Amino acid sequence: MKMATLIENKPGDREELYTEYGLSIYIEVDGKKILFDTGQSGDFIDNAKDLGIDLKGLDYVIISHGHYDHSGGFERLIKEINPSINLYLGSGFFNKKYNLMESGEYEYVGNPFEEQFLSENNIQVKYINEDILNITENLIIFTNFNRNQEFENTNQNMYLKEDEEYKKDMFLEEVSLGIKTNRGLVVIVGCSHAGIVNILDTITERIDMNIYGVIGGLHLVRENDEKINKIIEYLKEKDIELIGACHCTGKQGETMLSQRLEGSFTDNNTGDILYIK
């Protein structure tokens, strides 16, 4: 398996690449080419070109949830590259999403394109309702995560707008990707709004396979040290050998993970490429 982080918040060794608050990861496995999330602006496309990655040959695009920093580059991908893809979205992806600011005003942070864009461009889309969806022998999409860990309520300021009313966003559309490898399951997450412990617990309940690695955003950016330490203890207890936390994990979260998970934590910055056999 080859995995390249096409864009996220921080530069890696390739400082000429674009960075932004967002996430996009390219994966090759089973002879298939997969794009997981599309960043905020579409600059991941330029980064892919500089990294020698041909997005024209994509087979699947999976968008983890309906926030602009994960779906914002999709329109540019279709308009400029126009790959012949199958698109996977969680049900509720097009819900109107807002962030409650300190001023008391609601800021729109949802998906920047409408559902009509898909039909206008003949995009084949699968809305995921099932707990587990196998798209190849070794590629599995998970959703409908359990919320058993109350300490993982990470979305205090995030709301949906329905019928002119705002209600708490539970991110029921959030999906994660599991990739089977000889070392175990590698789980790719977007922002882990359901809670990373909830996500991993749910996956281990549904599939008889150890989790080897976790790549993506753990949404620890505004969390206190107590909560971060609980998550670190869980990752240690589960003996997860590869932690490529990035994006919304936040500076403090990444620092604590790297200090306490020395040997399993790896920097996962824009342009970084990882191979797993």
Side-chain angles (χ1 to χ4, degrees):
M1 179 186 82
K2 174 184 177 181
M3 188 191 76
T5 299
L6 298 183
I7 206 163
E8 72 102 35
N9 307 24
K10 305 176 301 303
D13 295 334
R14 299 283 299 271
E15 294 187 358
E16 76 277 13
L17 300 178
Y18 292 104
T19 61
E20 65 186 15
Y21 186 81
L23 183 66
S24 181
I25 297 174
Y26 170 83
I27 303 154
E28 291 181 6
V29 66
D30 282 357
K32 301 295 184 181
K33 298 179 178 180
I34 305 103
L35 186 68
F36 185 88
D37 286 348
T38 63
Q40 176 182 156
S41 67
D43 284 346
F44 76 93
I45 294 170
D46 301 300
N47 288 349
K49 183 178 180 180
D50 287 344
L51 292 168
I53 293 171
D54 180 12
L55 297 177
K56 185 73 175 179
L58 286 173
D59 296 289
Y60 309 114
V61 175
I62 302 163
I63 305 181
S64 61
H65 62 293
H67 269 171
Y68 73 99
D69 51 324
H70 295 260
S71 63
F74 183 74
E75 282 183 281
R76 185 180 165 195
L77 175 71
I78 298 305
K79 290 177 181 178
E80 293 187 14
I81 307 298
N82 192 27
S84 178
I85 59 165
N86 290 302
L87 174 65
Y88 292 89
L89 304 173
S91 295
F93 176 83
F94 287 100
N95 289 340
K96 301 303 180 184
K97 293 174 171 287
Y98 290 81
N99 180 55
L100 178 60
M101 299 184 293
E102 290 184 4
S103 65
E105 297 181 348
Y106 289 91
E107 173 191 24
Y108 182 73
V109 293
N111 182 62
F113 62 89
E114 300 292 338
E115 190 170 11
Q116 183 180 353
F117 176 78
L118 302 181
S119 58
E120 290 174 346
N121 289 275
N122 299 313
I123 305 298
Q124 298 296 313
V125 58
K126 162 70 174 175
Y127 290 100
I128 305 164
N129 295 298
E130 50 270 71
D131 292 348
I132 297 178
L133 176 65
N134 288 277
I135 57 177
T136 73
E137 180 181 357
N138 294 314
L139 282 171
I140 311 166
I141 298 176
F142 298 92
T143 191
N144 299 329
F145 300 109
N146 300 326
R147 264 70 170 185
N148 296 330
Q149 302 292 340
E150 293 185 5
F151 77 90
E152 288 211 285
N153 179 22
T154 61
N155 309 301
Q156 297 91 335
N157 298 320
M158 297 180 183
Y159 289 79
L160 297 178
K161 187 177 183 181
E162 294 181 353
D163 300 324
E164 301 306 313
E165 293 186 2
Y166 294 94
K167 67 178 186 178
K168 292 284 188 180
D169 190 352
M170 299 302 292
F171 290 90
L172 300 180
E173 88 283 6
E174 185 169 15
V175 302
S176 298
L177 177 65
I179 305 169
K180 293 182 179 179
T181 75
N182 292 330
R183 298 185 179 187
L185 194 71
V186 175
V187 178
I188 313 296
V189 292
C191 263
S192 305
H193 286 293
I196 187 59
V197 174
N198 286 330
I199 289 171
L200 298 180
D201 267 352
T202 302
I203 289 173
T204 54
E205 288 174 6
R206 293 178 183 166
I207 183 170
D208 184 21
M209 193 172 192
N210 70 294
I211 295 177
Y212 167 72
V214 179
I215 306 291
L218 305 191
H219 208 270
L220 305 178
V221 66
R222 295 186 184 91
E223 301 300 341
N224 58 40
D225 290 0
E226 180 181 3
K227 174 177 175 175
I228 296 173
N229 279 322
K230 285 183 179 180
I231 291 171
I232 290 171
E233 287 304 317
Y234 175 88
L235 297 173
K236 291 173 68 175
E237 177 187 331
K238 295 297 182 181
D239 197 25
I240 297 175
E241 298 181 48
L242 174 65
I243 310 292
C246 58
H247 179 45
C248 59
T249 305
K251 184 177 180 179
Q252 178 68 358
E254 289 188 30
T255 298
M256 293 177 65
L257 287 163
S258 65
Q259 290 174 345
R260 296 199 54 204
L261 295 174
E262 186 178 0
S264 59
F265 181 85
T266 182
D267 284 331
N268 183 33
N269 301 323
T270 301
D272 286 352
I273 297 176
L274 179 68
Y275 294 91
I276 301 174
K277 294 183 179 181

